[in-house]
Amino acid sequence: MIRALLASALLAIGAGLIVVSSLGLIRLPDVYNRMNAVAKAGSLGLICILLAVLLLLPGVRTAVVALVAIGLQLVSAPVGGYALARAAYRAGSPLADSTRYDELGGRVPPARRRAARE
């Protein structure tokens, strides 16, 4: 009974974090803020849902699958977010007006543009 209540709470928290992530994707001003919202809130939401599944279906196989998925999510989300932000910055995606500092300004060269083939 307690395990089901805890799993329900984790599912609700995970779903709520994913909803917040999707709202951030729609409402935030620039690509960098959007990626931050999706990477962090989406990852935490997925981890909460995986932990809820682990509570609802206890077992060694479920634990191994859930822990591997959590580990991969914790490793891949920050790396993917960093790579996308770097690509967006090099492609010249503008910063939001509320951004105060551009610490990479002048230090990161723009991406090489390929000549258009005709």
Side-chain angles (χ1 to χ4, degrees):
M1 179 70 174
I2 293 175
R3 198 167 58 195
L5 287 174
L6 197 60
S8 298
L10 281 171
L11 281 172
I13 291 169
L17 285 169
I18 291 173
V19 167
V20 167
S21 172
S22 65
L23 289 175
L25 185 63
I26 295 169
R27 302 278 300 166
L28 290 173
D30 65 356
V31 67
Y32 310 105
N33 290 321
R34 291 177 189 147
M35 275 190 290
N36 189 21
V38 171
K40 289 186 181 178
S43 296
L44 290 175
L46 179 65
I47 289 170
C48 287
I49 289 173
L50 287 171
L51 290 174
V53 168
L54 184 59
L55 284 174
L56 289 174
L57 301 171
V60 175
R61 183 168 189 243
T62 307
V64 169
V65 169
L67 292 176
V68 166
I70 288 171
L72 289 173
Q73 182 68 24
L74 288 174
V75 170
S76 67
V79 172
Y82 172 77
L84 286 172
R86 183 174 185 263
Y89 189 84
R90 291 189 70 191
S93 182
L95 296 169
D97 293 335
S98 60
T99 303
R100 294 183 185 174
Y101 302 107
D102 181 8
E103 294 180 5
L104 296 177
R107 293 173 49 185
V108 176
R112 293 184 202 156
R113 305 224 188 263
R114 293 183 185 176
R117 295 181 185 175
E118 296 180 11

